[in-house]
Amino acid sequence: MRHFAVIGSGPAGFYTAEALEKAYGDAARIDILDRYPVPYGLIRFGVAPDHQSLKAVSKRYDKVAESAGVDFIGNVTVGRDVSIDELLELYDAVILAIGAPHDRKLGIPGEDLPGVVGSAEFVGWYNGHPDFADLDPPLSGTCAAVIGNGNVALDCARILSKTRSEFEGSDIVGHALDALDASAIRTVTILGRRGPHQIAMTPKELGELGHLEAASPVVDVADFPPSEADEALEPGQRKSIKILREFAATPPDSAKPKCMVFDFFAKPLRIEGDGKAEKIVVERTELDDKGAARGTGETYEVPASLIISAIGYSTQPIGDLPFEGGKFINEGGRIAERLYAVGWARRGPTGTIGTNRPDGYEVADLIASAMPLGSAGDRAGAGGLKRLLEDRGVMATDYDDWRKIEETEVANARPGSPREKFVRIEHWLDTLGR
Ligand code: NAP
């Protein structure tokens, strides 16, 4: 019997577990570990609460979790409760699927002022991440800014611009819904250091901004290159640019009190304010011959008392494992003997949820070729891990605990919401009587 430990229960972890299960059948046991008592990582804490159709992919992961060879072991932090070396003693292979939970830093003066938050913090706050339950983002000013031109920037701008009724059917947590409902923010400026052709936003997500109840997108037609230049773009990007051009051609709806202003060719230089963020000083840019942003020397100020930096994420290093550029150093997913990485921990924070599927299957193939079906394995697996955790007083959760927590969240749901998520680990554990 082979024993595999997958660290992290987001999409990458579940696709890898699914692939290992298919490769080994009942000749392997696969344990999916997570630092939280409930699984699904990015699906639970990252995907926007008003994108329930994207979250539905977790039904596929449910099936994996229900299969006989797979176990969920929650509330265990690898690197603190158990080390990688200990896991390598207990398991035939250890696969890091820990995602990229940390914000990349802007590296500009003023980014530590109150009022400046990373997108992981802000997204975590409205998605019920226990680390960010107390974030309390300042929403009493009229202007906010989001730095970055990716899909996460779009998520943040949209969530700031929606009305209470537009969250019907979402699983946004109650504290965030109430705070957003009382928010005074009327202008959200989305700052891109390059131009419309260089955005990392996808058409479906961009298109949503054109259909909000109380907010209009505002785009300056002068930021675009001549329309013939769109021909050279790949089809998805061309679609996004078409949507942006439509926004530019449509005057803001005067019946809508809020606006989302796309400010292109705007590179943040510093954040200023009297003890808290009040404005960003940006430099107008142009593209150099390699397509990078080059400052023109012209600067101006964008007022904002809430500034969300959505410029990408970084993986959490563990112990002295080889780490560079925000991810584990690996070759095709292999970090070292019997130690692998998948998903954002392997590739860095790019791609959709589905990108993790081939990634997980590729690494499972690599493991299966190193440890062919039928070859011996005599490690202790889950039995050994559970003994070790018990000895250390770690209150690990299992599949039944997770389901009990989830049932309670569903039972606690406010009208129109699929659930009311717990936002504190002690509440999760209280539910289990621990
Ligand atoms: P991203 O797609 O990599 O976008 C990061 C953005 O930040 C880019 O526009 C980048 O501009 C900008 N940026 C980076 N460093 C900067 C700096 N120092 N100053 C100003 N701007 C800076 O990252 P993301 O938005 O965090 O998304 C991560 C992944 O999740 C992506 O693959 C995304 O598509 C995916 N995602 C998908 C969905 C969805 O499908 N609904 C939702 C959320 C996220 P440059 O291009 O100039 O570097």
Side-chain angles (χ1 to χ4, degrees):
M1 176 69 73
R2 291 288 184 184
H3 295 273
F4 299 121
V6 176
I7 318 302
S9 65
F14 265 94
Y15 285 124
T16 307
E18 180 187 270
L20 286 170
E21 225 236 335
K22 281 194 180 154
Y24 285 88
D26 55 13
R29 296 206 58 85
I30 301 143
D31 294 327
I32 305 177
L33 278 62
D34 202 285
R35 52 190 284 229
Y36 298 111
V38 287
Y40 296 157
L42 185 85
I43 303 290
R44 182 181 174 101
F45 297 122
V47 172
D50 56 343
H51 282 171
Q52 289 294 308
S53 57
L54 278 179
K55 296 195 180 210
V57 70
S58 64
K59 293 200 173 66
R60 176 177 178 150
Y61 309 152
D62 282 348
K63 290 213 170 65
V64 177
E66 282 156 14
S67 46
V70 177
D71 262 336
F72 173 72
I73 304 177
N75 207 32
V76 176
T77 300
V78 172
R80 183 193 70 189
D81 300 329
V82 56
S83 70
I84 293 287
D85 285 345
E86 286 167 330
L87 288 174
L88 283 168
E89 276 297 307
L90 294 166
Y91 288 89
D92 292 291
V94 174
I95 302 105
L96 302 180
I98 62 171
H102 297 293
D103 287 301
R104 285 186 48 229
K105 297 292 275 179
L106 280 163
I108 59 172
E111 77 172 309
D112 295 325
L113 281 172
V116 185
V117 300
S119 55
E121 299 173 286
F122 186 66
V123 169
W125 171 73
Y126 62 63
N127 261 333
H129 193 300
D131 290 354
F132 307 117
D134 297 319
L135 184 72
D136 195 18
L139 299 169
S140 57
T142 53
C143 297
V146 181
I147 302 172
N149 268 182
N151 279 328
V152 172
L154 277 184
D155 280 347
C156 295
R158 187 182 71 256
I159 295 290
L160 282 172
S161 305
K162 277 196 162 182
T163 61
R164 189 174 193 102
S165 65
E166 286 178 294
F167 285 110
E168 184 104 352
S170 80
D171 64 348
I172 190 168
V173 289
H175 67 208
L177 181 62
D178 291 341
L180 290 164
D181 191 28
S183 158
I185 291 169
R186 294 293 172 266
T187 303
V188 180
T189 303
I190 304 167
L191 292 163
R193 62 180 171 182
R194 299 190 290 158
H197 271 202
Q198 288 75 38
I199 56 169
M201 299 162 170
T202 43
K204 184 175 162 288
E205 285 63 32
L206 196 54
E208 278 179 82
L209 297 198
H211 305 284
L212 298 188
E213 223 170 76
S216 310
V218 177
V219 176
D220 187 347
V221 70
D223 285 332
F224 291 86
S227 51
E228 305 82 75
D230 296 2
E231 293 305 313
L233 298 171
E234 62 85 22
Q237 192 74 341
R238 203 179 315 138
K239 246 184 183 171
S240 295
I241 304 313
K242 187 165 175 270
I243 294 167
L244 276 180
R245 287 195 189 272
E246 283 161 12
F247 289 166
T250 314
D253 184 340
S254 59
K256 297 184 178 178
K258 302 183 192 179
C259 58
M260 297 157 292
V261 180
F262 285 81
D263 193 353
F264 291 113
F265 301 108
K267 179 178 136 191
L269 288 183
R270 60 186 177 275
I271 295 165
E272 294 181 349
D274 189 6
K276 58 183 178 13
E278 289 169 1
K279 61 188 172 208
I280 313 183
V281 179
V282 297
E283 182 177 18
R284 187 55 76 214
T285 64
E286 57 190 13
L287 295 179
D288 68 14
D289 51 8
K290 293 199 175 74
R294 172 174 60 204
T296 61
E298 177 197 341
T299 62
Y300 59 99
E301 293 173 354
V302 176
S305 46
L306 168 64
I307 297 169
I308 302 168
S309 143
I311 63 163
Y313 296 129
S314 164
T315 297
Q316 165 81 47
I318 301 181
D320 54 5
L321 293 185
F323 191 86
E324 196 172 58
K327 58 182 195 276
F328 294 101
I329 299 175
N330 69 87
E331 252 177 63
R334 185 182 177 280
I335 300 175
E337 174 122 22
R338 300 191 294 111
L339 180 62
Y340 300 84
V342 290
W344 284 3
R346 168 188 173 185
R347 307 187 316 270
T350 58
T352 62
I353 291 165
T355 316
N356 294 297
R357 188 175 178 276
D359 188 319
Y361 273 73
E362 196 183 320
V363 170
D365 280 351
L366 207 60
I367 295 171
S369 58
M371 298 168 206
L373 190 62
S375 62
D378 61 351
R379 296 189 186 261
L385 175 64
K386 284 176 186 167
R387 276 192 298 280
L388 187 146
L389 293 172
E390 261 171 43
D391 287 351
R392 291 179 184 171
V394 178
M395 281 183 285
T397 55
D398 61 15
Y399 178 86
D400 292 338
D401 296 330
W402 145 29
R403 289 304 186 194
K404 193 168 171 197
I405 291 169
E406 203 167 64
E407 277 163 25
T408 315
E409 289 186 335
V410 171
N412 290 347
R414 59 180 182 275
S417 170
R419 70 180 70 202
E420 184 60 52
K421 290 173 180 165
F422 287 109
V423 297
R424 295 189 193 281
I425 296 207
E426 54 272 28
H427 293 160
W428 272 314
L429 298 178
D430 279 355
T431 307
L432 303 174
R434 308 267 170 89

